[in-house]
């Protein structure tokens, strides 16, 4: 069974030891972009992983991934498709018969944009690739606070998946899941990105449209509110 180095990194620890190689999941969105900027500060080399799953804005998110990888100078890149999640359905992001709902930032219900158990698939691919290339960390820009409330974005989900990795990898494998923005508000993520020089203008968050952003879905509303609270204009175009 694989291992876990508690001293190498714990979420919220500001004294992070430098790691040689880390896999960073990059959707193309704002949170993953800032997570990548943080990961760059904490690791000697990054490998970028992008996973498409048959979502409405798949092509636009893939473009954002490529542009972000170019910006960060990433040599190790992997883009894969798990389009079977579109066949599974159950989400307005993957099922054209389910409309993308207008933003409701007050509601505590899990929205129709939730892709059932999606992040487990992403982490499984990341863990497989990390073990092959010898990475010691997996970075993912999950946000539990100030978000849409997806169950697979909660800290306890990542704690549980950490144990799955430990149980299912080689005895010599040490691989830690790192969630540096999971307790941050979106405005804090914007500010952190600006501090790190993250190219937020290259990111894409909209659930509904590929260009321009719709400005009406949950993701657009959260993003617009975050930039407003951070006191800086959002650099992408909206309808």
């Amino acid at each position: 069974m694989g291992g876990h180095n508690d001293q190498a990194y714990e979420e919220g620890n500001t004294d992070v030891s430098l790691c040689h190689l880390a896999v960073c999941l990059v959707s193309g969105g704002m949170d993953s972009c800032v997570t990548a900027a943080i990961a760059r500060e904490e690791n000697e080399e990054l490998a970028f992983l992008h996973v498409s799953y048959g979502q409405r804005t798949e092509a636009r998110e893939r473009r954002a991934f490529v542009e972000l990888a170019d910006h960060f100078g990433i040599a190790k890149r992997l883009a894969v498709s798990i389009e079977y999640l579109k066949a599974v359905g159950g989400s307005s992001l993957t099922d054209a018969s389910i409309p993308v709902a207008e933003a409701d930032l007050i509601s505590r219900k899990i929205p129709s944009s939730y892709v059932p158990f999606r992040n487990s698939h992403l982490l499984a691919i990341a863990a497989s690739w990390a073990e092959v290339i010898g990475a010691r960390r997996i970075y993912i820009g999950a946000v539990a606070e100030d978000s849409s409330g997806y169950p697979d974005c909660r800290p306890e989900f990542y704690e549980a998946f950490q144990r799955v990795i430990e149980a299912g990898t080689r005895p010599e494998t040490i691989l830690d899941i790192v969630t540096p923005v999971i307790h941050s508000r979106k405005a804090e993520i914007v500010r952190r990105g600006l501090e790190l020089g993250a190219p937020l203008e290259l990111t894409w968050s909209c659930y509904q449209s590929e260009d321009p952003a719709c400005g009406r879905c949950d993701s657009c509303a959260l993003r617009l509110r975050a930039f407003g609270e951070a006191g800086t204009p959002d650099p992408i175009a909206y309808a």
Side-chain angles (χ1 to χ4, degrees):
M1 295 187 296
H4 171 63
N5 189 343
D6 290 322
Q7 293 182 340
Y9 183 85
E10 290 185 1
E11 208 278 321
N13 184 0
T14 56
D15 183 21
V16 181
S17 58
L18 195 66
C19 177
H20 171 62
L21 177 62
V23 169
C24 188
L25 278 154
V26 179
S27 66
M30 181 179 76
D31 302 331
S32 69
C33 172
V34 176
T35 294
I38 294 169
R40 181 179 58 179
E41 299 290 305
E42 298 175 352
N43 302 274
E44 294 178 3
E45 184 181 5
L46 298 180
F48 273 18
L49 172 61
H50 179 75
V51 183
S52 298
Y53 49 94
Q55 71 272 36
R56 292 172 186 258
T57 56
E58 179 175 347
R60 185 62 183 84
E61 290 179 30
R62 174 67 181 274
R63 175 184 145 194
F65 164 74
V66 171
E67 291 177 351
L68 288 169
D70 289 345
H71 173 88
F72 286 105
I74 303 301
K76 291 184 174 68
R77 309 179 188 189
L78 179 63
V80 299
S81 174
I82 52 172
E83 197 170 347
Y84 57 81
L85 287 184
K86 185 172 184 177
V88 169
S91 168
S92 60
L93 300 194
T94 57
D95 187 339
S97 69
I98 303 174
V100 175
E102 297 278 316
D104 183 356
L105 302 186
I106 298 174
S107 174
R108 305 319 303 165
K109 294 181 180 179
I110 296 174
S112 66
S113 55
Y114 166 60
V115 180
F117 214 46
R118 181 197 65 178
N119 287 352
S120 65
H121 300 259
L122 274 56
L123 288 171
I125 296 167
S128 294
W129 192 37
E131 193 168 28
V132 168
I133 64 177
R136 300 285 292 269
R137 294 175 184 151
I138 298 169
Y139 283 75
I140 183 168
V143 180
E145 306 294 329
D146 195 24
S147 67
S148 295
Y150 299 151
D152 56 356
C153 284
R154 297 175 298 173
E156 51 265 42
F157 170 78
Y158 294 96
E159 292 164 6
F161 211 94
Q162 181 67 57
R163 295 192 293 273
V164 170
I165 290 175
E166 292 164 14
T169 52
R170 294 187 183 95
E172 64 270 21
T173 296
I174 295 177
L175 184 57
D176 295 312
I177 300 171
V178 186
T179 55
V181 299
I182 199 163
H183 295 298
S184 300
R185 286 184 54 80
K186 291 281 189 178
E188 293 172 332
I189 295 171
V190 170
R191 293 189 191 102
R192 183 71 170 132
L194 294 173
E195 290 170 2
L196 294 171
L200 299 177
E201 71 279 2
L202 300 181
T203 63
W204 196 255
S205 303
C206 185
Y207 289 156
Q208 174 73 50
S209 306
E210 295 203 324
D211 198 15
C214 76
R216 301 184 307 276
C217 67
D218 253 13
S219 188
C220 282
L222 286 165
R223 178 179 174 130
L224 285 165
R225 185 175 72 179
F227 275 93
E229 290 178 352
T232 189
D234 189 339
I236 71 167
Y238 290 86

